[in-house]
């Protein structure tokens, strides 16, 4: 506060934090005296204008009577396309079409034409029966060969770790091929792992379906099944040799060695220069690496209109278009603030690139999908669209359907170093089992690792404004 007394405090706890605000913000006596944007953005890490309806209409001017409707761009619209197995199914469908087309020609006009040419048209029915028998054997044998026989998983996972904690958090969307008929149990978690405090409440698993409108009809399996709320980490589902999609949230010991200091600690000196070494031992090189440094919040000020970024943030892509190999040490002292991208510019460009990538509402997966993953990571910190502008054509509102809890923008409220990268080809880090066995898996894992730095809480501006 203006007098130097703390009105809010925070303590990191596990992978999150607990924040206590010493004011009753719901008290009627504070109505009109507390600036919601000043308070909540500093606590939650957001950046958008918090205005009343009257203020909005006054800002829009007499030429407008309602808030502008912007184009909605969904950052997670391609999740279903990244985990489904339509490619595998398409092979079988294509082979079936080829077999049927060949059978139609030989049993129909082509076969009849050949018999006529050879002068044995009287054997047409015999030839038809022979061709039908041969293609019955071909179709049956081909279906048996093409039919999948092994359970496997295709996933998309966000894996979060905080330095100093012996737990990581994973949120996964995955499809699992269940090649049997009957019922199978899909579960998440290691039953032999020690309890984390409240047993069976940390890990949850449920069937998932893409909420986006789609013209494609789902597989018509309408059989009912029961999900036990007392055991949310497993579900027994009916199977018909098809693919089922799930979402899971898992907390447990790290499956891999995430980025960590190679020796000593990571520090920031009085000139805001980083010092320290980072290394990782992930199962593959880390790609699309971004390093975000937050030096702390800007001083508190009464001027909060617009969409100011409340923190002093800098971003680097230390490896450019190259990968960060496992076991290779990264010297943070080479990251100079003069070469960094300032936070305002970084989040503005990220929002525009993500909107451009995903503007087309189709199932196609952009080639530069990692930019969308980064936009999901920093959704609350992205620069909002300029709704005050006179020309809003082309402006987009970045939205989410299923990734609301993946936002790391809360970390922009306190000093920290964050590493974001991805493993395009990796096993699923969450322990998934089918009938007690671990199936092979493959997919993309987005790594997000946080190193908390020394606290530096914001204070009133030098002129005493608050």
């Amino acid at each position: 506060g203006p007098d130097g007394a703390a009105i809010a405090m925070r303590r990191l706890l596990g992978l999150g934090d607990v924040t206590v605000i010493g004011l009753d913000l719901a008290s009627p006596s504070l109505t009109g005296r507390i600036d919601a944007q000043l308070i909540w953005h500093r606590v939650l890490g957001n950046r958008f204008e918090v205005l009343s309806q009257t203020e909005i209409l006054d800002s829009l001017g007499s030429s407008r009577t309602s808030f502008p409707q912007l184009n909605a761009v969904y950052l997670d619209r391609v999740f279903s396309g990244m985990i489904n197995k339509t490619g595998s199914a398409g092979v079988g469908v294509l082979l079936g079409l080829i077999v049927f087309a060949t059978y139609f020609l030989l049993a129909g006009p082509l076969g009849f034409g050949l018999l006529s040419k050879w002068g044995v048209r009287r054997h047409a029915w015999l030839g038809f029966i022979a061709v039908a028998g041969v293609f019955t054997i071909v179709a049956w044998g081909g279906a048996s060969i093409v039919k999948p026989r092994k359970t496997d998983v295709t996933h998309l996972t966000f894996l979060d770790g905080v330095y100093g904690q012996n737990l990581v958090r994973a949120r996964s969307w995955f499809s699992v091929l269940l090649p049997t008929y009957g019922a199978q149990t899909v579960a998440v978690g290691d039953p032999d792992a020690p309890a984390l405090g409240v047993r069976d409440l940390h890990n949850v698993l449920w069937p998932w379906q893409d909420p986006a409108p789609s013209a494609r009809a789902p597989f018509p399996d309408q059989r009912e099944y029961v999900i036990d709320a007392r055991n949310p980490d497993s579900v027994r589902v009916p199977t018909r040799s098809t693919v089922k999609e799930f979402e899971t949230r898992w907390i447990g010991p790290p499956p891999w060695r995430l980025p960590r200091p190679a020796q000593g600690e990571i520090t920031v000196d009085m000139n805001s220069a980083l010092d320290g070494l980072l290394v990782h031992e992930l199962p593959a090189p880390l790609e699309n690496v971004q390093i975000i440094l937050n030096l702390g919040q800007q001083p508190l000020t009464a001027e909060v209109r617009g969409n100011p970024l409340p923190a002093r943030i800098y971003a680097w892509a230390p490896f450019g278009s190259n990968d960060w190999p496992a076991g290779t040490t990264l010297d943070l002292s080479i990251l100079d603030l003069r070469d960094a991208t300032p936070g305002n510019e970084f989040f503005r460009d990220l929002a525009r690139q993500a909107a451009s990538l995903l503007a087309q509402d189709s199932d196609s997966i952009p080639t530069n999908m990692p930019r969308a993953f980064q936009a999901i990571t920093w959704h609350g910190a992205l620069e909002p669209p300029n709704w005050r502008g006179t020309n809003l054509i082309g402006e987009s509102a970045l939205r989410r359907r299923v990734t609301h809890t993946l936002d790391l923008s809360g970390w922009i409220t306190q000093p920290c170093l964050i590493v974001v990268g991805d493993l395009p080809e990796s096993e699923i880090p969450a322990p998934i089992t089918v009938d007690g066995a671990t199936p092979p898996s493959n997919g993309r894992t987005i790594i997000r690792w946080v190193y908390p730095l020394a606290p530096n809480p914001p204070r009133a501006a030098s002129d005493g404004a608050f």
Side-chain angles (χ1 to χ4, degrees), residues 25-302:
L25 298 179
S27 172
S29 63
L30 293 180
T31 301
R33 300 174 60 190
I34 294 293
D35 191 311
Q37 181 169 330
L38 176 65
I39 293 291
W40 289 115
H41 286 6
R42 297 284 183 162
V43 173
L44 302 177
N46 292 323
R47 52 177 307 198
F48 55 85
E49 289 195 76
V50 182
L51 302 175
S52 67
Q53 182 178 8
T54 301
E55 289 175 319
I56 291 176
L57 295 178
D58 289 344
S59 299
L60 291 173
S62 58
S63 60
R64 296 181 191 163
T65 59
S66 62
F67 196 80
Q69 299 297 315
L70 306 179
N71 297 324
V73 174
Y74 291 93
L75 295 171
D76 46 20
R77 70 165 178 78
V78 297
F79 277 25
S80 180
M82 298 185 71
I83 65 172
N84 63 31
K85 297 180 181 293
T86 54
S88 301
V91 174
V93 173
L94 179 61
L95 290 177
L97 289 175
I98 293 174
V99 170
F100 178 79
T102 306
Y103 163 73
F104 175 80
L105 291 174
L106 290 180
L110 182 60
F112 187 78
L114 290 174
L115 292 177
S116 299
K117 181 178 180 180
W118 296 334
V120 288
R121 184 185 299 179
R122 62 184 180 277
H123 297 306
W125 277 108
L126 181 62
F128 174 79
I129 294 173
V131 171
V134 169
F135 274 89
T136 298
I137 297 174
V138 170
W140 189 276
S144 299
I145 294 174
V146 174
K147 176 184 176 181
R149 302 179 182 276
K150 294 183 179 180
T151 302
D152 68 88
V153 171
T154 302
H155 75 95
L156 173 64
T157 300
F158 288 78
L159 181 64
D160 299 339
V162 176
Y163 178 69
Q165 303 298 322
N166 58 357
L167 297 175
V168 295
R169 173 178 53 208
R171 186 173 176 189
S172 302
W173 291 263
F174 66 94
S175 61
V176 55
L177 173 62
L178 302 171
T180 63
Y181 287 80
Q184 291 185 272
T185 300
V186 181
V188 58
D190 183 359
D192 298 326
L196 300 178
V198 183
R199 191 168 182 82
D200 295 334
L201 293 183
H202 287 80
N203 304 322
V204 292
L205 173 78
W206 63 90
W208 181 77
Q209 182 177 346
D210 187 2
S214 175
R216 296 177 302 181
F219 188 80
D221 187 352
Q222 301 299 325
R223 289 177 293 174
E224 297 180 351
Y225 55 93
V226 175
I227 298 178
D228 188 353
R230 294 168 298 182
N231 298 283
D233 56 349
S234 67
V235 56
R236 188 163 182 80
V237 296
T239 59
R240 293 180 60 180
S241 190
T242 55
V243 172
K244 286 191 176 294
E245 295 180 348
F246 297 88
E247 180 181 350
T248 183
R249 301 186 188 188
W250 170 79
I251 294 178
W256 309 314
R257 302 195 70 180
L258 301 180
R260 68 184 191 281
Q263 59 185 23
E265 301 293 328
I266 297 174
T267 59
V268 179
D269 64 18
M270 297 183 62
N271 296 319
S272 301
L274 276 166
D275 185 53
L277 303 175
L278 279 183
V279 68
H280 75 84
E281 295 180 23
L282 295 167
L286 193 60
E287 301 184 8
N288 307 302
V289 178
Q290 289 281 349
I291 293 183
I292 310 298
L293 173 63
N294 180 8
L295 295 174
Q297 293 194 33
Q298 302 281 6
L300 297 170
T301 175

